[in-house]
Amino acid sequence: MTAELVRGQNHTLPLTRLEIRVSAGSPVVAGATLADERGTVRGPGRIAHPAANRVPGLEVSRQASADHRLAVDLDALPDEVHRVTVLLALPAGTGRPASFGAVAAPFVAVTALDGTEIATFTLTGLDTESAVSALELYRRGGAWKVRAVGQGYATGLAGLFADHGVADAAGTAAAVQEAVASGLARSVTPPSRATDGERVGHPAGPAAAGPPPVPSTPPGPDPAAPPAEPPADPTVAPTVAPTGPVSYAHPRRQTSAPPPPPPSAPHAPPGRPAEPVAGDATGWTMDERLYNQIWGMFEDLARAVAAYRSAADFAESRMEQELDRTLSDPRSRIGGAGDRAREAARAKRDELTGRAREVLDRDLARLAAESAVVEPALPAAYAGWDNPVWHGHRVPMEKPMALRIGDLNLPEATDLRIPLLARLPLERGIWIDSGSPASGPGAPEAGDPPRAAAVRTAVLLAARLLAVHPADEYSVHVIDPAGSAAGPLAPLVGAGVLAGPPATGAQGVAAVLDHLTRRVDLVQMAVRARAADALPPDLDTAEQLLIVNDFPHGFDDRAVTQLRYLADEGPPVGVHLLMVADREDARAYGPVLDPLWRSLLRITPVADDHLADPWAGHAWTYEPPRTPPGSRVLEQVLALVAAARRGGGRRAG
């Protein structure tokens, strides 16, 4: 029976391996402190927070989120730790809630690994506080208990850390907020589901109503590994090192609203997984089903790798603990007892890691088979440039729901690439970082300057946007102050699909920015006044994309202000930003441009593992779009766009 705690109440914990689940109405930072008998935190190594998310026996999320799962193993805590305090804080920044009084009351639950609630606590009564000690796990008489605390701090994390005896409380709090701000800036925006449909027909089997099933654990005294970086989604099953089939069906995709996919999959014999089928998700259209299916594949890969990494970490930690216990006995150092203990511990580690790898390989094989079926069936908006769909492409009559802007993969499965789809219309601008990577597999080839590669990536994205929209529904503007991108921009210029020639010089920059700023102002006023028919007849109501090359060269202070305005206010009214820039070039502006960089999704013209997901905290390798070597698919597609525009006419610019 679940104990519903009130402030100050405690409850005995029947288990030592737990999850602490947090649900809040706004993104919060979750962390924990490990204190001694006096309640003192002995240094920064006893604090788990996004910048250092693992301490012995406890792991927290690397990012701010409305939902968290903290993995706790009380048996793995150091002997001197007698108190674990779970803390919550609001991330700093403009436009974010400044106090818990402005958001819904956070809810915290202590659960078993299978999701069974042991104790819950709703943090009511908070007002001006921006940080709070939510729960406390503490030793008492050889047992562990949980106490509902709910102690808020109007002085934020600095006040909370100071109250816990942290030496440099202000510095630690600043480091946490800096890590959170960095994580939010580089995170992959979760793809918005078109519907809450279930990904049916997955090899793991259909999901039942209620919480998802938990993978079985190995028999015997050796438990499965605890979850490593738990997903932020409160409905995601804990990532345990399994030995049996793993269900990756997402319970949020359980609804009867959209129609289910057609029963095109052949029935598999009992005990064998069904063959993968394209469109194996719910949705009203095939594009919607494929979108949801790709989103499900992304989640499946994230969870499979998280489970493997968790199992491998657990096996390594278990080996170290066994060696410490064995070698702490002086008698084990006599003769060959120590060597035998090392060999046995390493063999056990290898066995556990090998079993986890077998499960991972099985799941990767299923995802690879699904990817092989899905890729050829993708529409042009979702397809790679090497997909045959482009050879028979025609300019559509309807807008797409999403756009492929690259691919994602993880080190454990570099050959398995998941399309990175951005919902349309774009909710945030895109920044293609033209700074040269230092070294590694993503470094550009000799004779291929990173700036030129970045402009080519922008051209491919712009061409795809033009190709998948109706002929009169998308306009592309280019600012190239010094004319340095004339070569890479040649396909767009030569096809005649731009709204005008690339703007050069200070006057050209000012003219384009004034034009788009005026458009944003007019549309905003029309929307607020509900007078769309009052817009000037010469206003282009199509979606607008502005490509800016070599920022901030050629931009004065007024132009910089206008660009920031377009980045913030443009997307809701159909003006989108695609910047090609090296942040080092804008260093002279100092922190003035920090909000601009944070508002944009950073991608690179070369493969780079800079993108993080808010579920498992993986560092995903992003691969930019590329056309096949020697292919003229880009020129052919742009010629089709140009022909469609000539045939259908264009609105005035």
Side-chain angles (χ1 to χ4, degrees):
M1 183 176 179
T2 303
E4 298 181 1
L5 305 181
V6 297
R7 187 175 280 106
Q9 187 178 359
N10 59 50
H11 182 73
T12 302
L13 294 173
L15 304 171
T16 57
R17 295 183 61 203
L18 308 163
E19 280 190 348
I20 298 176
R21 307 187 181 192
V22 179
S23 298
S26 177
V28 297
V29 183
T33 61
L34 310 185
D36 58 17
E37 291 180 293
R38 298 182 178 86
T40 302
V41 180
R42 299 180 182 178
R46 289 290 189 262
I47 305 175
H49 55 80
N53 73 310
R54 295 184 180 183
V55 296
L58 194 144
E59 296 177 8
V60 302
S61 174
R62 292 188 179 96
Q63 303 207 20
S65 174
D67 302 290
H68 289 273
R69 283 189 178 187
L70 284 65
V72 181
D73 186 353
L74 298 175
D75 289 337
L77 293 172
D79 293 338
E80 62 271 18
V81 172
H82 286 257
R83 185 181 303 172
V84 178
T85 302
V86 178
L87 60 92
L88 305 176
L90 293 171
T94 57
R96 301 187 179 278
S99 67
F100 279 105
V103 300
F107 174 80
V108 185
V110 180
T111 74
L113 294 184
D114 62 357
T116 303
E117 290 185 347
I118 299 172
T120 63
F121 176 41
T122 302
L123 284 77
T124 57
L126 298 176
D127 188 11
T128 61
E129 299 88 344
S130 59
V132 59
S133 295
L135 289 178
E136 182 180 82
L137 312 181
Y138 62 98
R139 299 182 197 257
R140 180 63 56 85
W144 282 92
K145 294 186 176 183
V146 57
R147 176 187 293 121
V149 181
Q151 174 63 53
Y153 296 84
T155 51
L157 278 175
L160 186 152
F161 287 146
D163 193 38
H164 285 70
V166 178
D168 184 14
T172 304
V176 173
Q177 294 290 5
E178 182 179 355
V180 171
S182 175
L184 291 173
R186 71 188 186 96
S187 64
V188 182
T189 303
S192 304
R193 292 182 183 81
T195 61
D196 287 340
E198 178 189 355
R199 202 156 99 88
V200 298
H202 192 276
V214 180
S216 58
T217 58
D222 299 322
E229 188 63 35
D233 196 319
T235 62
V236 176
T239 53
V240 192
T243 58
V246 182
S247 175
Y248 291 125
H250 200 296
R252 276 193 182 173
R253 293 198 293 274
Q254 292 177 357
T255 178
S256 58
S264 55
H267 294 286
R272 291 182 57 187
E275 293 295 326
V277 178
D280 187 15
T282 54
W284 294 106
T285 65
M286 188 61 175
D287 287 3
E288 189 175 327
R289 291 171 179 168
L290 288 168
Y291 177 87
N292 286 335
Q293 186 173 15
I294 291 172
W295 163 241
M297 291 168 61
F298 176 85
E299 286 185 328
D300 291 352
L301 180 57
R303 283 194 219 108
V305 172
Y308 169 72
R309 292 180 180 179
S310 175
D313 291 345
F314 172 73
E316 193 71 27
S317 174
R318 184 181 183 278
M319 181 191 71
E320 293 174 358
Q321 292 176 9
E322 289 183 353
L323 290 177
D324 289 343
R325 286 195 298 267
T326 301
L327 299 179
S328 63
D329 185 355
R331 293 173 295 181
S332 65
R333 304 171 193 169
I334 302 175
D339 293 337
R340 289 192 296 272
R342 291 187 185 93
E343 292 177 1
R346 289 168 183 160
K348 187 63 177 177
R349 176 202 59 187
D350 294 343
E351 178 190 355
L352 291 176
T353 305
R355 286 159 54 189
R357 184 70 209 195
E358 289 178 1
V359 174
L360 175 64
D361 289 342
R362 182 197 65 206
D363 295 334
L364 293 180
R366 291 175 178 173
L367 284 171
E370 186 173 11
S371 177
V373 172
V374 169
E375 279 286 353
L378 295 178
Y382 305 171
W385 285 106
D386 57 350
N387 193 306
V389 71
W390 290 108
H391 298 296
H393 179 66
R394 294 291 180 270
V395 175
M397 301 298 293
E398 297 181 356
K399 297 180 181 180
M401 64 178 297
L403 186 84
R404 186 172 186 160
I405 62 175
D407 295 329
L408 298 174
N409 66 72
L410 290 172
E412 288 81 358
T414 55
D415 294 335
L416 180 57
R417 293 174 174 84
I418 306 296
L420 176 57
L421 301 182
R423 284 299 298 267
L424 295 178
L426 295 171
E427 297 177 355
R428 60 193 292 199
I430 298 175
W431 162 35
I432 304 175
D433 191 351
S434 60
S436 176
S439 61
E445 298 177 359
D448 186 20
R451 294 182 188 273
V455 177
R456 278 195 293 274
T457 302
V459 168
L460 289 174
L461 292 176
R464 183 184 291 266
L465 281 166
L466 289 168
V468 301
H469 279 82
D472 59 348
E473 294 294 337
Y474 222 88
S475 294
V476 177
H477 308 261
V478 175
I479 290 179
D480 185 20
S484 59
L489 288 172
L492 292 176
V493 177
V497 294
L498 296 178
T504 58
Q507 290 184 343
V509 172
V512 173
L513 292 177
D514 287 343
H515 169 74
L516 292 178
T517 301
R518 172 178 175 269
R519 183 191 183 282
V520 171
D521 291 339
L522 290 175
V523 175
Q524 282 185 336
M525 287 188 291
V527 170
R528 290 167 184 162
R530 298 182 180 178
D533 54 348
L535 289 170
D538 64 337
L539 185 76
D540 185 359
T541 57
E543 297 279 326
Q544 308 286 313
L545 177 70
L546 174 60
I547 302 176
V548 178
N549 179 50
D550 223 9
F551 176 82
H553 298 299
F555 282 70
D556 55 20
D557 289 345
R558 180 173 180 271
V560 170
T561 301
Q562 286 180 309
L563 192 69
R564 288 186 54 187
Y565 175 74
L566 292 178
D568 293 338
E569 303 295 333
V573 292
V575 177
H576 311 286
L577 191 59
L578 179 56
M579 281 184 54
V580 177
D582 182 354
R583 191 169 183 174
E584 290 298 316
D585 294 341
R587 183 174 291 276
Y589 286 91
V592 174
L593 291 180
D594 285 351
L596 173 64
W597 303 118
R598 286 197 295 266
S599 69
L600 304 174
L601 172 63
R602 174 180 174 261
I603 62 175
T604 54
V606 294
D608 187 55
D609 60 347
H610 68 282
L611 291 176
D613 70 64
W615 302 276
H618 297 320
W620 292 79
T621 296
Y622 168 80
E623 294 187 5
R626 292 187 179 91
T627 55
S631 171
R632 295 191 56 81
V633 62
L634 176 62
E635 291 77 6
Q636 294 170 1
V637 168
L638 290 176
L640 286 173
V641 173
R645 295 189 170 210
R646 288 192 299 268
R650 287 289 299 129
R651 293 190 178 102

